[in-house]
C-alpha cells in the first residue's frame, strides 16, 4: 500500500472531520487543543507533508524560515489567511488553501447579531437583568436606536459583505452603501441592495452604522484610524467581524470616549484573546469571542473543505480553494 501523506492538524476539529482525516491521511492530531508555538510550527514544517492550520497558528516569515521544510501545503481552516505570511510561504514552495463560502452566512448572521445588540443595547440590558439591577419597565429607560430604515455602510463587498447587505436591506429595510477599492457596479451588488460609493470617505460620512468585511492585508491594517473614525457621522456605530487589526484600538476607544462614536460591536481583536481593558468596561460596546463561523454545521463544512483541498493537492488535482 502506498504511504499516505502525513498531515498535522493543529487544533481539535469536529469529530466527523477528524474521522475523515484519519481515514485518508497519516494524521497527527493536536493533543492539547491550544495555539501552537512558533517552535512547534517549525518542527511540523520540517516533519509533515501538510498542515491543517487555523487562525491561531502564526506562520510568520521567521517561522517559515525553518530548515529543512517538508510541508508542501498549509490548508487553513478559515477564509482569512492573514495568519500566514503568503510571500514567505510562496518563496518556500508551500501552497496555501482556505475555506471560503461555507462560512459566509454564519458570519453575516453574527454581524447582524452584533448590529442588533449594539443599537438595541441588548448586551447592556442582559447584564442588568442578570445582575439583579432591573427595576422595571419605564418609558424612557434604556432607549436604543431604531435599526429599520437606517443606513449601513459595508466596507468590503465580497461574499460576506454581500450576505450582510441582503439581510440588512431585505430584512431590515436598511439603505446599504458599499465600498471596496476594486468593486464594480453591476447586478451582483445591486441584487444585494448595495449602492456602491465612489470612495471610502463618502461611505463613512453617509452611514449610521459601518461594518467591516475586508480581509486584513497591508492595505487594510490600521485602516480605521483616528482620521477615518472622525469621518464617521457623529453618533455612528462600528461593527467588526473581519479582523481586529483593521481598527486602531486606541483610536476606537478615543472615539467612544468623546461620544463621536455611539457604540461598537466587535467579534475580533488585534491580540486575541486579549481585549483592551478600556473596551471591557464600556456598556456601549458589545464584545464577542470570535464567533463568526462558530456553528456546528459551518465548522464541519469548513473542515470538509480543508480535507478536499488536502485530497486534491496530494492527488495532483486543482485545489477547490487555493490561495497561492
Ligand atoms: C474562523 C475566521 O473561525 O474564517 C475566518 O477567517 O475568522 C473564522 O470564521 C477562524 O479563522 C478559524 O481558523
Amino acid at each position: 500500500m502506498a504511504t499516505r501523506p502525513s498531515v498535522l492538524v493543529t487544533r481539535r476539529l469536529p469529530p466527523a472531520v477528524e474521522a475523515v482525516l484519519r481515514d485518508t491521511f497519516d494524521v497527527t492530531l493536536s493533543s492539547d487543543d491550544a495555539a501552537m508555538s512558533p517552535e512547534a510550527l517549525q518542527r511540523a514544517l520540517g516533519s509533515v507533508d501538510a498542515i491543517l492550520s487555523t487562525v491561531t497558528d502564526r506562520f510568520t516569515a521567521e517561522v517559515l524560515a525553518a530548515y529543512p521544510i517538508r510541508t508542501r501545503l498549509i490548508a487553513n481552516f478559515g477564509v482569512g489567511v492573514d495568519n500566514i505570511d503568503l510571500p514567505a510561504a510562496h518563496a518556500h514552495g508551500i501552497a496555501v488553501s482556505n475555506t471560503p463560502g461555507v462560512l459566509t452566512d454564519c458570519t453575516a448572521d453574527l454581524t447582524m447579531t452584533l448590529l442588533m445588540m449594539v443599537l438595541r443595547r441588548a448586551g447592556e440590558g442582559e447584564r442588568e437583568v442578570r445582575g439583579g439591577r432591573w427595576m422595571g419597565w419605564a418609558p424612557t429607560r434604556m432607549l436604543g436606536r431604531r435599526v429599520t430604515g437606517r443606513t449601513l455602510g459595508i466596507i468590503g463587498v465580497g461574499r460576506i459583505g454581500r450576505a450582510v447587505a441582503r439581510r440588512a436591506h431585505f430584512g431590515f429595510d436598511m439603505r446599504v452603501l458599499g465600498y471596496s477599492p476594486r468593486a464594480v457596479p453591476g447586478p451582483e451588488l445591486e441584487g444585494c441592495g448595495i449602492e456602491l460609493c465612489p470612495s471610502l470617505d463618502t461611505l463613512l460620512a453617509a452611514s449610521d452604522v459601518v461594518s467591516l468585511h475586508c480581509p486584513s492585508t497591508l492595505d487594510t491594517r490600521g485602516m480605521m484610524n483616528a482620521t477615518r473614525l472622525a469621518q464617521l457621522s457623529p453618533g455612528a456605530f462600528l461593527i467588526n467581524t473581519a479582523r481586529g487589526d483593521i481598527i486602531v484600538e486606541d483610536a476606537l476607544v478615543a472615539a467612544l470616549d468623546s461620544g463621536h462614536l455611539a457604540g461598537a460591536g466587535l467579534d475580533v481583536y488585534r491580540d486575541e484573546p486579549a481585549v483592551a481593558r478600556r473596551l471591557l468596561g464600556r456598556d456601549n460596546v458589545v464584545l464577542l469571542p470570535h464567533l463568526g463561523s462558530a456553528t456546528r454545521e459551518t465548522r464541519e463544512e469548513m473542515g470538509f473543505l480543508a480535507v478536499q483541498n488536502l485530497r486534491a493537492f496530494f492527488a495532483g488535482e486543482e485545489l477547490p480553494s487555493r490561495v497561492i
Side-chain angles (χ1 to χ4, degrees), residues 115-129:
L115 189 154
M116 298 297 289
M117 285 182 77
V118 178
L119 271 75
R120 299 302 307 274
R121 300 174 66 173
E124 189 184 349
E126 218 244 2
R127 280 190 293 281
E128 183 176 283
V129 175

Side-chain angles (χ1 to χ4, degrees), residues 57-274:
D57 305 308
R58 318 278 333 158
F59 289 96
T60 59
E62 293 75 43
V63 166
L64 287 162
Y67 184 83
I69 290 189
R70 173 169 168 178
T71 298
R72 300 273 63 99
L73 172 69
I74 298 175
N76 208 43
F77 179 89
V79 66
V81 287
D82 51 298
N83 55 313
I84 304 167
D85 186 318
L86 295 177
H90 183 69
H92 292 288
I94 302 173
V96 174
S97 63
N98 66 347
T99 61
V102 291
L103 45 69
T104 299
D105 285 325
C106 270
T107 308
D109 291 347
L110 196 88
T111 304
M112 294 311 291
T113 307
L114 276 175
L115 189 154
M116 298 297 289
M117 285 182 77
V118 178
L119 271 75
R120 299 302 307 274
R121 300 174 66 173
E124 189 184 349
E126 218 244 2
R127 280 190 293 281
E128 183 176 283
V129 175
R130 282 182 190 274
R133 297 186 306 278
W134 184 36
M135 304 308 282
W137 184 92
T140 56
R141 282 226 57 243
M142 214 175 267
L143 306 185
R145 301 307 302 275
R146 185 179 2 217
V147 171
T148 303
R150 296 207 102 80
T151 299
L152 171 66
I154 292 186
I155 301 180
V157 289
R159 279 176 293 258
I160 299 173
R162 293 198 300 269
V164 171
R166 284 195 297 273
R167 284 157 174 74
H169 184 69
F170 298 110
F172 293 90
D173 210 11
M174 296 180 91
R175 178 179 182 211
V176 181
L177 306 177
Y179 175 77
S180 280
R182 280 170 290 280
V184 280
E188 192 169 26
L189 296 183
E190 281 160 23
C192 302
I194 297 177
E195 297 167 41
L196 211 52
C197 284
S199 69
L200 186 52
D201 301 2
T202 328
L203 178 140
L204 293 175
S207 303
D208 301 311
V209 186
V210 167
S211 189
L212 306 179
H213 299 288
C214 47
S216 165
T217 63
L218 286 177
D219 291 335
T220 62
R221 268 168 229 152
M223 177 177 78
M224 294 309 287
N225 54 22
T227 312
R228 291 260 163 65
L229 292 173
Q231 289 175 327
L232 287 165
S233 59
F237 296 85
L238 182 64
I239 310 292
N240 191 8
T241 53
R243 281 294 180 268
D245 58 8
I246 299 170
I247 301 178
V248 177
E249 228 158 50
D250 284 346
L252 173 67
V253 172
L256 288 163
D257 281 347
S258 73
H260 183 68
L261 205 57
L266 309 176
D267 186 44
V268 286
Y269 310 87
R270 194 190 60 192
D271 300 317
E272 294 179 15

Side-chain angles (χ1 to χ4, degrees), residues 288-310:
L288 296 182
H290 201 148
L291 293 180
S293 66
T295 66
R296 290 182 194 178
E297 298 86 348
T298 298
R299 288 287 163 84
E300 283 198 353
E301 288 173 25
M302 289 165 69
F304 292 138
L305 183 50
V307 172
Q308 281 174 34
N309 277 290
L310 288 160

